Amino acid sequence: MGKRRKAWVRVFLPMALVVLGLSTLATLLYTGTIWPNAWFVADYPVRGIDVSSYQEHVDWRSVAQSGQFSFAFIKATEGKNYKDAYFQENWRGTKEQNILRGAYHFYSDYRTGIEQANNYISVVPKEAGMLPPVLDLEVSGNDHSMMLRELNRFINRLQQHYGVKPIIYTDHDRYTEYIQGNFANYTIWIRDVYTPVQWNKVQNWSFWQYNNRGHVPGVSGYVDMNVFSRPQKELAALVL
């Protein structure tokens, strides 16, 4: 029995250790305790977060006092009618703490661009000191040409109202599908939470959402983490 036990240990103990190690790693990744892209953002000291009703009440004083973040993007609207329940609270809170902030609209593929732009305009004030409006594009339309036409109408309506080109937030699929070759000279905010942005084909990004399970003082639960590709003074240059 002793020899059999030793043989069992030699075979199964390494396997058990590997399983335990992989399980621990998976847990650390799932909880955001460690994150793959964390090693690739060291060269980008200008950091920010983006929030929505998912985070509920944010203690913006604690966020500001952490000294880690230069900007915040706040969800304002979605589609034709949806208005984020926490937008006004977040908009006031960031302003009170002198956090540079902007607002984003989650785009719907089954509403016209003008309808959605008007929803955004009805909620987000035009104020000095704010970042440009943000188009959050994470969906594809059934009709490519129609979708592209409505995106143009949405962007043009916001540009006309706020007097500045909107920022475009998107993922790799939608970037290839709609943005590349169609919206030159727009500020790009790219989502890539699992692989380094330096490895992908989007070379003209300005903002990078690199983590969707961040932990930030003043925010309960997970929050999206972002970096800006250039110095702080160039971020300030985007402000209305």
Side-chain angles (χ1 to χ4, degrees), residues 84-120:
D84 191 283
Y86 290 86
F87 172 74
Q88 298 297 342
E89 178 182 321
N90 287 327
W91 196 249
R92 289 193 303 270
T94 46
K95 185 175 184 178
E96 289 170 358
Q97 299 303 321
N98 295 314
I99 297 173
L100 188 60
R101 82 270 199 249
Y104 72 89
H105 173 88
F106 189 92
Y107 195 86
S108 170
D109 61 317
Y110 58 90
R111 295 296 184 182
T112 69
I114 295 300
E115 287 175 328
Q116 298 188 67
N118 288 340
N119 185 23
Y120 181 92

Side-chain angles (χ1 to χ4, degrees), residues 5-148:
R5 185 178 294 112
K6 289 179 180 179
W8 186 91
V9 169
R10 285 197 301 269
V11 173
F12 290 101
L13 182 58
M15 294 175 60
L17 291 174
V18 169
V19 170
L20 178 61
L22 291 174
S23 176
T24 301
L25 178 61
T27 299
L28 292 173
L29 289 170
Y30 181 79
T31 58
T33 305
I34 62 173
W35 201 256
N37 283 332
W39 291 280
F40 297 91
V41 298
D43 292 335
Y44 307 110
V46 183
R47 309 286 176 89
I49 60 175
D50 61 274
V51 300
S52 68
S53 58
Y54 177 81
Q55 281 77 30
E56 297 186 343
H57 300 285
V58 177
D59 181 354
W60 289 106
R61 176 177 294 180
S62 295
V63 175
Q65 288 178 346
S66 73
Q68 302 176 50
F69 305 104
S70 300
F71 63 91
F73 286 110
I74 303 164
K75 184 174 183 179
T77 50
E78 180 176 334
K80 179 183 178 181
N81 297 309
Y82 177 84
K83 297 170 176 57
D84 191 283
Y86 290 86
F87 172 74
Q88 298 297 342
E89 178 182 321
N90 287 327
W91 196 249
R92 289 193 303 270
T94 46
K95 185 175 184 178
E96 289 170 358
Q97 299 303 321
N98 295 314
I99 297 173
L100 188 60
R101 82 270 199 249
Y104 72 89
H105 173 88
F106 189 92
Y107 195 86
S108 170
D109 61 317
Y110 58 90
R111 295 296 184 182
T112 69
I114 295 300
E115 287 175 328
Q116 298 188 67
N118 288 340
N119 185 23
Y120 181 92
I121 290 168
S122 73
V123 171
V124 181
K126 180 181 179 181
E127 297 180 353
M130 62 184 283
L131 288 164
V134 179
L135 160 65
D136 178 351
L137 179 62
E138 303 179 52
V139 296
S140 297
N142 293 326
D143 186 322
H144 182 270
S145 60
M146 182 181 294
M147 182 77 168
L148 190 57

Side-chain angles (χ1 to χ4, degrees), residues 180-206:
Q180 189 175 28
N182 294 310
F183 295 97
N185 301 319
Y186 279 81
T187 299
I188 301 299
W189 176 10
I190 193 71
R191 171 187 169 85
D192 197 338
V193 298
Y194 297 115
T195 58
V197 73
Q198 296 91 339
W199 294 0
N200 68 55
K201 60 186 175 183
V202 182
Q203 301 299 319
N204 61 329
W205 65 275
S206 294

Side-chain angles (χ1 to χ4, degrees), residues 169-231:
Y169 167 96
T170 194
D171 55 27
H172 291 291
D173 289 341
R174 257 55 63 172
Y175 178 84
T176 301
E177 193 172 3
Y178 298 110
I179 306 307
Q180 189 175 28
N182 294 310
F183 295 97
N185 301 319
Y186 279 81
T187 299
I188 301 299
W189 176 10
I190 193 71
R191 171 187 169 85
D192 197 338
V193 298
Y194 297 115
T195 58
V197 73
Q198 296 91 339
W199 294 0
N200 68 55
K201 60 186 175 183
V202 182
Q203 301 299 319
N204 61 329
W205 65 275
S206 294
F207 295 93
W208 172 23
Q209 186 184 90
Y210 69 92
N211 185 345
N212 64 349
R213 289 182 176 272
H215 299 275
V216 172
V219 182
S220 59
Y222 301 126
V223 67
D224 296 332
M225 310 287 284
N226 303 273
V227 295
F228 183 64
S229 65
R230 300 187 295 279

